[in-house]
Amino acid sequence: MRRRHLTELLAVAACAVVLAATAACGGDGDARAGQPTAVRLGFSAWPGWFPWQVAQEKGLFQENGVTVELTYFDSYTDSLQALSTGNLDANSQTLNDTLSSASGGARQTIVLVNDNSTGNDQIIAAPGINGVADLRGKKVAVEQGTVDHYLLLLALEKAGLTERDITLTPLLTDAAAAAFVAGQVDAVGAFAPFTTTALGRSGSRAIATSRDFPGAIPDHLAFDSEFVADHPDEVQKVVQTWFDTLKWIAANPAEAVTIMARRGGVSEADYQTYNAGTTIFTREENLAAFTPGSGPSHLNHQADRIAEFLVKTELVPAKPSLDGLLEPKFVQAVT
């Protein structure tokens, strides 16, 4: 799964701070600094992250001279925990979750934007519910604190409603989709591939999607900040591999879809339907996103908005600092 409970993430991040301090006191933390090392990279079920599987199967990490121990997590929560506790060096994750980790004291650095969700996060409603305004008084299932919860609040606000106008049913995303199909709730917030599950309910349709809120849901590659400082060459090679992978996919689309659909556990036909809803970022789009600005395409702007959301919904105790969060130099150096 691509999302997780933020209260758990705060606890994990706080634990990670203690572990980091313990390692530092032991004097072993910088033993490998500046020396070539393997990169432990995690990812999970989201169309914008499946290119990592292509990179591995086609030997593109090796071509760039970097050893990557790539781990696929059936549970997105487990991938976040692995990064926060030092069992990964890098993970593909949402901006929401990286900010939540920062609120708990974890030091993570975003070095690459994988994608923006442009339709694959959806609010899906039962027949008879024709728009977000019709959700007043209805039961809506969503995983609290996730980007789909965030999308729901954005959609409600746009329709002149608040969370108090609905009955929120907090469930994990897979369970929320299943509850919706079973008729236990009137609407659900979900992301691909669980949108496919939810749309299995006869007559259901999406009444709001991430396409309606450009830039609101960016997904990216976050490294442990200490690893970035100690091993910038490895970070650079991983980022270079990502863009080389995108070139390979563009030149070999059929084989790429086969690899990514197999990793996602869906048919190639279903995987093709996810294309429009996930916009993979080019290098130029990455550079624009890392450039400070006040528009929806700028990471600093979205990070500030999401941080406010996390505080407003009491998912974090205080607004996390954005200092050192965004590092564009690796994308800038891509050839």
Side-chain angles (χ1 to χ4, degrees):
M1 296 175 68
R2 174 172 164 245
R3 312 289 190 260
R4 76 159 305 171
H5 287 294
L6 301 188
T7 50
E8 296 175 10
L9 187 55
L10 285 170
V12 170
C15 177
V17 173
V18 174
L19 290 173
T22 301
C25 290
D28 296 327
D30 294 332
R32 298 184 301 167
Q35 299 298 315
T37 186
V39 180
R40 299 168 300 167
L41 171 60
F43 74 117
S44 50
W46 174 247
W49 301 333
F50 289 133
W52 291 126
Q53 187 69 30
V54 175
Q56 181 185 52
E57 293 194 19
K58 304 313 295 185
L60 300 178
F61 290 118
Q62 294 93 320
E63 286 186 10
N64 278 295
V66 61
T67 300
V68 170
E69 298 171 2
L70 187 67
T71 302
Y72 178 79
F73 289 82
D74 291 317
S75 166
Y76 174 64
T77 297
D78 290 346
S79 76
L80 294 167
Q81 182 172 350
L83 179 60
S84 291
T85 56
N87 291 303
L88 284 177
D89 303 309
N91 190 46
S92 276
Q93 56 194 49
T94 71
L95 182 55
N96 292 54
D97 289 322
T98 304
L99 289 170
S100 297
S101 293
S103 293
R107 295 181 61 249
Q108 297 177 4
T109 302
I110 296 169
V111 301
L112 167 71
V113 180
N114 297 120
D115 68 271
N116 265 202
S117 177
T118 50
N120 277 338
D121 289 275
Q122 301 178 3
I123 308 302
I124 298 170
I129 299 176
N130 298 314
V132 177
D134 294 337
L135 291 178
R136 186 186 296 272
K138 303 296 186 182
K139 293 178 67 175
V140 183
V142 71
E143 189 168 348
Q144 281 187 301
T146 65
V147 292
D148 295 301
H149 185 193
Y150 181 46
L151 174 64
L152 174 63
L153 295 186
L154 290 175
L156 290 171
E157 181 180 47
K158 186 176 180 180
L161 303 178
T162 71
E163 190 172 291
R164 292 187 298 273
D165 294 309
I166 65 171
T167 300
L168 190 73
T169 302
L171 292 170
L172 296 177
T173 302
D174 54 348
F180 176 71
V181 171
Q184 297 169 1
V185 294
D186 303 300
V188 62
F191 60 92
F194 299 104
T195 48
T196 301
T197 302
L199 289 168
R201 178 170 173 173
S202 179
S204 64
R205 68 184 186 92
I207 57 172
T209 79
S210 48
R211 181 179 294 275
D212 302 325
F213 303 94
I217 305 180
D219 300 302
H220 54 247
L221 179 64
F223 267 85
D224 174 80
S225 296
E226 185 176 355
F227 189 93
V228 173
D230 290 346
H231 303 288
D233 289 347
E234 278 70 25
V235 177
Q236 186 65 62
K237 291 173 182 177
V238 169
V239 173
Q240 180 70 52
T241 299
W242 174 261
F243 289 104
D244 289 351
T245 302
L246 298 187
K247 292 176 183 177
W248 191 94
I249 290 172
N252 304 274
E255 186 177 357
V257 167
T258 297
I259 293 170
M260 294 187 289
R262 182 171 62 243
R263 176 69 279 175
V266 298
S267 70
E268 292 181 24
D270 279 342
Y271 194 89
Q272 295 277 21
T273 68
Y274 302 147
N275 285 341
T278 302
T279 299
I280 303 292
F281 267 34
T282 64
R283 178 174 178 271
E284 290 70 26
E285 288 168 326
N286 261 268
L287 293 173
F290 276 110
T291 301
S294 58
S297 64
H298 298 280
L299 277 176
N300 70 303
H301 172 76
Q302 292 297 350
D304 193 62
R305 288 198 66 187
I306 292 169
E308 290 176 355
F309 156 75
L310 295 174
V311 174
K312 182 179 180 180
T313 53
E314 299 181 344
L315 292 166
V316 300
K319 189 174 179 178
S321 171
L322 305 184
D323 292 342
L325 179 71
L326 307 174
E327 180 48 81
K329 70 179 182 181
F330 300 104
V331 172
Q332 291 168 350
V334 166
T335 58

